[in-house]
Amino acid sequence: MARIREALAPSGPPPKLPDQETVNAALPSVKPDIASMREEFINQSNQLRTEVRVCSDFSEASGALREIAVEGGWGRVALHRGPSVSRLSDAFSCPVMWTDKDYEKSELEKCDAGVTECDALVASTGSILITSRSCGGRALSVLPPHHVVVADAGKLIPDLSTAFVNLKKTYGADMPGFISFITGPSRTGDIERILVLGAHGPRRLTVLLIEDSL
Amino acid sequence: MKSTGFIATPGYPKREVNRGMNITVFVPCYVDACYPGVGIAMVGLLERLGHDLKFHPELTCCGQPAFNAGCWDEARKVAARNVDVLTDAEAVVVPSGSCAAMMRKFYPELFHGHPQESEASAVAGRCHELSSFIADTLGITDVGASFPHRVTFHDGCHGMRELGIKTAPRKLLADVKGLELIEMEDSNVCCGFGGTFAVKFPSISTAMGETKIGTASETGAEYIVSNDVSCLMHIGGLLKRRNDPLKTIHLAEVLVQT
Amino acid sequence: MTSPADKFTEKSTVVAENLDHRARIRDAMKKYEGTRGDGVQRFNDWEAARDSASRIKGNVIGRLNHYLEQFVDRIEARGARVHWAEDSAEARRHVLDILGRAGARRVIKSKVMTGEEISINHALEKAGYEVVESDLGEFIVQLRREDPYHFVFPAMHLSRGEIGDLFTKELNTPHSSEPEELTMVARRELRKRFMEADAGICGANFAVAETGMISITENEGNARLTCAMPRIQIALVGIEKVIPRLEDLALFLPMLATSGTGQALTCYNSLYGGPRLQDEVDGPEEFHIVLLDNRRTVVLADEEQRDSLHCIRCGACLNVCPIYRNIGGHSYGATYQGPIGSVLTPYFKGLRAWSHLAHASSLCGACTEICPVKIDLHHHLLQTRRNAVSVQPARKARWPYACFAFMMNRPRIYGFAVRVMRRLQHWPVVSGRKLLRPWTKSRELPEIAPRSFRDWWKERG
């Protein structure tokens, strides 16, 4: 530390931090109405190979989830008790495990899918914001090969800046230990720059976007 | 044996017209000795545009070789003489982007903190690379040239990145009668000369030059044109070794053709 | 003992003359240029973004002690243990202590260049730990017992066939050269390791001072697993990684992705604030950060080149550098390659022995042009050349240029030299000289014209 102070001592004042407005003006923007945000989120998701299924209500979402489970041949699913996820837990005929308390890593590893809430859906980047506190821990959304996100349309926000402002508003000084922006299924280009999905994280990422969450 | 494919033009009778601007031409060492045709073309061109020119034969070099080697004291010794002699010049025109960049961009840096600093900065601001002088300072793009050939253009890095020269040469070429300009892929990628880099790291320099020749050849052009003589010296040297039909020519040598 | 300069000349010459390598890298970089171009278009104003990024980094580096203190306070408040390391040796000792006290045996790593810098893998293996790289590219080069070729694409130099052979040889898997199949092989192999590891070592792309969290950018998910599954987490972070505010990430994450790979954002951009909290269901029990100096303060003290600490390790300067493209990542002989590597290495490893990296450049400036945080890279190489002159014997460095200046300031001597060379240039004893070999090996020399420009000017009166 002393070395740092010493190194900086003879210098004049550093450049001033640019204000948020200036920074945001340079970044891609989306109109903050639900329709524009939904459109852009879906547009981005298509490019990322994130599957988005728009459902008009929870019952349609439940049906969609059942379909996905059957199609994927799910033998075992992991969930956490979030407000939206809990409403869909009876969609499964296969065994489920919950990650709300201490759980066995090896049990999670055997699951074919992890279903979680999200804190936000970021329209301009097609990203899903999760935290360890609100979305069932750190591993639920990354260990199983299929990650399904249950989100109502109210979760849509225009851009990353808004996401960070909201994180501070929501959690204040009590931030969760893990926060992540998930932007598409896991991928790599390390072999000859050829795109391969499912490098370590989920190979499939699905968002059930529920229009009417009442 | 021609060095750059320069098509010989007889020496110009001196014209006495003076448009009022006090222009000095600066002809660096390697242009003077190896590519005099470029200097001669530059003179012919500027005089055709109606300017009376000055030249100081006692000035030989901009000092860049020493500067690039990190020997800034030695570079300053050479640069100081240039600054002294060029103090009264209204405009100093240089046919090479790298030398022009040295004088215009790096002289203030070189003299920073030295007694001649303000003089050097003043002279620096009056130094111009040829194409930007004609197109930007004089505001002329049609110089009455004719050169009915297919050409492609290589952007010398110093002129492009230190002096921002990109459109000036292209505007000038666009008005040359009969000339067809085909842009090569990666026209803005370095040819590999880089001064002493070319002899310190010859394999890398050659690899870069070969890549440049590859992209230039793909255009089907007869000539590679550039506003930097050092680039042409390197590219030309490689072409000649391979007996490649592709020819190099300096922008001034094109523009002086009628 | 060959000097680093000689090693560099040797290696770079071999690679530069390899046409296969030249073509392969050219294709890879063309792809990159395309996607990056698209990525830049997504911004409303890329240049304004660069300007903001440069000012934010300028501010944070200019007040580094203040922001580091803030970062440390806040992350410690959440139960993280911070360890300061002045140099590589101290950093290694910290890591070994942490692992020793925790009784760890198996270590898994995500991509961390600071780890390469301190040669942590070697130290861990020597001490009897089992270490495996989880990033696919790093996993591949680890199996080959090689250094990473590029800090974003460690296995860029290898073909699928070579990787297929490697896996068959080292992992006993049935042969394949399909990227998809090979990736799945690595996925299965590393899954086991994630589940078994006692400790995970990661790096950080950014350290957010305001909230006391590190930020990790990745595509594969291996860093997320490295930081979620094992009970010990160790982050190796250079002190210059700090950024002031959480929302600065809204700028830096897309810029890093765009410059690094041409993506709008990478798959996973995660913030880690410490060990598993009271109300959390998983995560490491222990969370350690090793803050590494390792001569970054020397760069910090040099006001001229201080902005090199702004680097966000995107790799764009490597991708665009024609020298890097022709000599590849292994020629540099240092952790950081390409233009940023050439700027930093003389500070990190010594000016006298490493200034050749500053000379191995044509100073084209493409690096400076592409740098998302506007580091004045190619001018720093010039400055390093100047700095190097003062630490070398004057006879070697300055004498040739003293002669040059002497001659150039005396036009009669210059003129005489030209006349002499004009006469002698075609004598084989002159043109065949060893002195001129570096040029004449591949190129014809320029002709000294029968009449110089000066002669012509004088004659026309």
Side-chain angles (χ1 to χ4, degrees):
Chain A
M1 266 301 208
R3 272 194 310 283
I4 297 174
R5 267 184 235 112
E6 218 180 284
L8 292 171
S11 310
K16 289 236 289 270
L17 286 172
D19 58 73
Q20 268 320 111
E21 234 182 282
T22 310
V23 174
N24 290 348
L27 298 172
S29 50
V30 177
K31 284 208 278 281
D33 60 279
I34 297 266
S36 303
M37 291 193 290
R38 190 207 305 117
E39 193 187 326
E40 187 57 20
F41 183 81
I42 293 174
N43 178 28
Q44 292 295 323
S45 298
N46 287 339
Q47 292 172 53
L48 294 163
R49 323 261 194 102
T50 303
E51 302 153 19
V52 179
R53 292 183 66 153
V54 180
C55 308
S56 44
D57 54 27
F58 266 91
S59 112
E60 203 183 312
S62 189
L65 201 45
R66 207 171 299 124
E67 241 178 80
I68 295 170
V70 165
E71 180 204 4
W74 292 359
R76 202 181 155 83
V77 170
L79 309 163
H80 71 105
R81 284 186 176 85
S84 300
V85 175
S86 304
R87 288 175 70 171
L88 299 174
S89 56
D90 57 359
F92 304 109
S93 46
C94 62
V96 309
M97 68 167 270
W98 302 90
T99 62
D100 298 276
K101 285 208 302 261
D102 269 332
Y103 64 88
E104 272 301 314
K105 288 191 301 198
S106 50
E107 290 302 305
L108 182 59
E109 164 64 356
K110 293 195 199 118
C111 293
D112 298 297
V115 184
T116 73
E117 301 280 334
C118 69
D119 277 41
L121 298 173
V122 184
S124 67
T125 57
S127 305
I128 298 141
L129 174 61
I130 62 161
T131 81
S132 47
R133 190 175 297 161
S134 49
C135 305
R138 301 182 187 211
L140 177 58
S141 52
V142 74
L143 200 57
H146 191 164
H147 177 206
V148 179
V149 179
V150 184
D152 58 82
K155 290 276 161 74
L156 284 163
I157 59 173
D159 51 40
L160 287 175
S161 302
T162 311
F164 289 115
V165 168
N166 288 359
L167 276 169
K168 290 206 285 206
K169 273 204 207 116
T170 309
Y171 298 105
D174 188 23
M175 287 278 181
F178 167 76
I179 297 168
S180 191
F181 289 87
I182 298 171
T183 313
S186 149
R187 66 197 61 215
T188 182
D190 270 338
I191 299 178
E192 286 189 7
R193 307 297 307 272
I194 305 286
L195 180 67
V196 175
L197 298 181
H200 291 290
R203 199 185 167 82
R204 276 183 76 180
L205 173 62
T206 307
V207 176
L208 296 178
L209 184 54
I210 304 173
E211 301 278 82
D212 175 13
S213 53
L214 294 166
Chain B
M1 192 167 34
K2 302 286 178 283
S3 314
T4 62
F6 169 58
I7 297 160
T9 310
Y12 299 93
K14 266 192 74 180
R15 294 157 114 231
E16 293 301 332
V17 181
N18 187 348
R19 285 273 166 83
M21 242 192 139
N22 178 350
I23 300 175
T24 301
V25 293
F26 183 88
V27 181
C29 42
Y30 60 108
V31 176
D32 172 59
C34 303
Y35 303 96
V38 173
I40 295 169
M42 176 171 71
V43 167
L45 177 59
L46 289 170
E47 286 182 344
R48 186 168 82 217
L49 295 175
H51 297 278
D52 196 23
L53 304 175
K54 266 219 179 85
F55 170 66
H56 295 281
E58 71 272 31
L59 298 181
T60 54
C61 182
C62 63
Q64 184 158 68
F67 181 73
N68 279 1
C71 298
W72 289 21
D73 290 336
E74 286 71 17
R76 205 173 300 115
K77 282 205 186 87
V78 175
R81 266 187 89 233
N82 293 339
V83 168
D84 279 338
V85 174
L86 295 171
T87 294
D88 295 322
E90 212 180 308
V92 180
V93 184
V94 188
S96 223
S98 45
C99 305
M102 177 66 200
M103 296 170 85
R104 193 175 172 86
K105 185 92 184 278
F106 293 120
Y107 272 15
E109 169 82 31
L110 183 59
F111 285 90
H112 181 62
H114 287 259
Q116 265 182 306
E117 183 171 0
S118 54
E119 241 189 290
S121 297
V123 169
R126 289 184 243 117
C127 293
H128 306 270
E129 178 270 344
L130 177 66
S131 71
S132 88
F133 181 70
I134 298 175
D136 302 331
T137 311
L138 296 180
I140 301 169
T141 56
D142 188 343
V143 299
S146 164
F147 190 73
H149 297 277
R150 282 186 107 195
V151 312
T152 187
F153 191 79
H154 162 69
D155 293 284
C157 298
H158 279 82
M160 182 177 58
R161 294 203 177 90
E162 302 295 354
L163 301 178
I165 297 167
K166 183 83 184 173
T167 53
R170 287 170 171 82
K171 280 192 206 150
L172 293 166
L173 288 173
D175 282 341
V176 175
K177 281 191 269 301
L179 183 143
E180 190 191 347
L181 171 65
I182 306 139
E183 294 283 3
M184 67 171 103
E185 206 186 336
D186 297 342
S187 61
N188 62 345
V189 172
C190 184
C191 69
F193 177 68
T196 49
F197 170 77
V199 292
K200 276 202 167 116
F201 299 97
S203 299
I204 311 175
S205 171
T206 299
M208 289 163 71
E210 287 174 350
T211 302
K212 175 62 57 173
I213 289 171
T215 49
S217 303
E218 277 165 15
T219 63
E222 299 163 64
Y223 290 90
I224 301 177
V225 185
S226 181
N227 53 353
D228 204 304
V229 183
S230 39
C231 302
L232 294 173
M233 178 167 72
H234 165 69
I235 297 169
L238 283 168
L239 287 168
K240 209 152 270 116
R241 176 60 60 88
R242 298 147 63 124
N243 287 314
D244 198 304
L246 189 53
K247 298 186 278 268
T248 55
I249 188 169
H250 188 269
L251 182 64
E253 294 172 309
V254 172
L255 297 175
V256 82
Q257 304 292 319
T258 45
Chain C
M1 261 284 276
T2 355
S3 68
D6 289 336
K7 275 203 202 114
F8 174 83
T9 304
E10 233 177 87
K11 281 192 161 152
S12 63
T13 302
V14 171
V15 182
E17 292 174 354
N18 180 339
L19 296 177
D20 217 9
H21 174 274
R22 200 184 292 181
R24 203 184 282 182
I25 301 301
R26 180 141 194 256
D27 286 339
M29 296 312 185
K30 276 287 145 200
K31 277 194 199 139
Y32 164 80
E33 270 172 21
T35 49
R36 180 190 170 270
D38 294 339
V40 165
Q41 292 300 331
R42 266 183 229 113
F43 283 72
N44 277 349
D45 189 341
W46 175 255
E47 287 303 318
R50 286 179 80 213
D51 193 62
S52 290
S54 166
R55 287 200 284 145
I56 294 171
K57 276 287 180 174
N59 179 279
V60 87
I61 294 295
R63 302 179 62 210
L64 190 58
N65 49 324
H66 160 78
Y67 285 114
L68 267 175
E69 263 163 27
Q70 194 182 55
F71 171 76
V72 170
D73 281 341
R74 290 175 195 190
I75 204 167
E76 275 180 337
R78 243 185 270 101
R81 301 273 316 277
V82 176
H83 314 262
W84 295 89
E86 184 174 337
D87 54 28
S88 298
E90 201 178 343
R92 288 191 294 264
R93 270 198 307 274
H94 282 307
V95 175
L96 290 169
D97 281 342
I98 294 165
L99 294 174
R101 271 185 275 113
R105 262 211 55 233
R106 296 194 186 88
V107 180
I108 192 156
K109 286 178 68 210
S110 60
K111 179 128 52 98
V112 41
M113 292 315 294
T114 335
E116 305 284 335
E117 208 184 309
I118 66 173
S119 304
I120 191 63
N121 288 14
H122 177 76
L124 290 175
E125 281 163 1
K126 228 169 99 183
Y129 291 94
E130 201 183 287
V131 191
V132 70
E133 294 285 350
S134 63
D135 172 275
L136 178 59
E138 295 281 345
F139 176 65
I140 291 168
V141 298
Q142 184 185 34
L143 285 176
R144 280 173 63 103
R145 294 172 192 69
E146 248 177 24
D147 288 328
Y149 194 79
H150 182 297
F151 47 80
V152 175
F153 299 106
M156 173 192 268
H157 56 311
L158 299 170
S159 69
R160 59 183 79 182
E162 285 168 312
I163 297 169
D165 293 340
L166 177 71
F167 280 10
T168 304
K169 177 162 171 255
E170 301 287 337
L171 305 173
N172 266 320
T173 48
H175 192 270
S176 167
S177 27
E178 279 313 304
E180 171 104 23
E181 278 171 39
L182 292 170
T183 306
M184 292 305 117
V185 166
R187 183 193 166 105
R188 278 192 297 274
E189 177 66 33
L190 287 161
R191 244 338 138 94
K192 281 188 257 148
R193 313 295 202 105
F194 283 122
M195 302 306 291
E196 291 168 353
D198 304 301
I201 297 181
C202 68
N205 295 91
F206 304 102
V208 182
E210 185 188 16
T211 56
M213 307 171 109
I214 58 171
S215 175
I216 301 182
T217 289
E218 56 157 339
N219 273 307
E220 297 177 17
N222 61 303
R224 281 192 60 188
L225 290 169
T226 300
C227 300
M229 309 314 293
R231 61 187 166 87
I232 315 282
Q233 182 178 349
I234 305 174
L236 302 173
V237 184
I239 53 174
E240 85 287 15
K241 293 292 173 72
V242 191
I243 57 172
R245 310 165 294 197
L246 185 65
E247 54 269 30
D248 291 329
L249 288 173
L251 177 68
F252 283 108
L253 295 178
M255 290 194 86
L256 175 58
T258 300
S259 303
T261 57
Q263 295 172 281
L265 269 188
T266 60
C267 266
Y268 306 107
N269 290 278
S270 314
L271 288 156
Y272 298 91
R276 172 201 290 209
L277 293 172
Q278 276 266 318
D279 61 342
E280 291 183 345
V281 301
D282 55 17
E285 287 155 28
E286 279 179 46
F287 181 102
H288 300 264
I289 296 203
V290 177
L291 286 172
L292 182 66
D293 176 357
N294 213 18
R295 297 180 62 84
R296 284 158 174 72
T297 42
V298 180
V299 186
L300 189 65
D302 184 345
E303 239 181 301
E304 216 178 19
Q305 299 206 30
R306 183 180 292 164
D307 70 353
S308 332
L309 293 178
H310 296 186
C311 179
I312 61 175
R313 304 283 192 267
C314 68
C317 60
L318 276 68
N319 296 337
V320 83
C321 178
I323 280 87
Y324 178 86
R325 289 183 182 189
N326 280 294
I327 71 175
H330 291 157
S331 301
Y332 291 79
T335 307
Y336 302 105
Q337 311 112 358
I340 188 65
S342 298
V343 170
L344 290 174
T345 305
Y347 285 94
F348 288 176
K349 294 173 81 155
L351 184 56
R352 265 193 90 157
W354 291 90
S355 61
H356 59 280
L357 290 180
H359 286 275
S361 165
S362 61
L363 301 177
C364 77
C367 48
T368 303
E369 197 175 62
I370 207 174
C371 178
V373 290
K374 296 177 90 161
I375 301 172
D376 203 7
L377 289 162
H378 72 302
H379 291 147
H380 291 331
L381 295 178
L382 255 178
Q383 290 152 0
T384 298
R385 294 180 188 189
R386 181 205 62 208
N387 296 345
V389 163
S390 49
V391 302
Q392 257 146 33
R395 207 170 31 85
K396 180 172 170 230
R398 299 180 61 175
W399 178 83
Y401 291 99
C403 293
F404 160 84
F406 182 86
M407 181 168 84
M408 289 307 174
N409 278 353
R410 286 158 187 78
R412 282 212 292 263
I413 297 180
Y414 160 79
F416 179 74
V418 171
R419 284 198 300 281
V420 168
M421 284 313 300
R422 183 182 291 135
R423 284 285 175 77
L424 299 182
Q425 64 181 318
H426 293 301
W427 291 18
V429 107
V430 167
S431 59
R433 280 205 74 110
K434 220 176 83 179
L435 192 66
L436 298 171
R437 276 295 287 168
W439 183 275
T440 57
K441 183 167 166 218
S442 59
R443 297 160 278 213
E444 289 298 305
L445 283 167
E447 277 280 307
I448 298 181
R451 213 174 36 150
S452 71
F453 177 85
R454 271 168 183 64
D455 296 333
W456 173 82
W457 180 271
K458 195 164 158 201
E459 276 161 32
R460 86 206 268 256

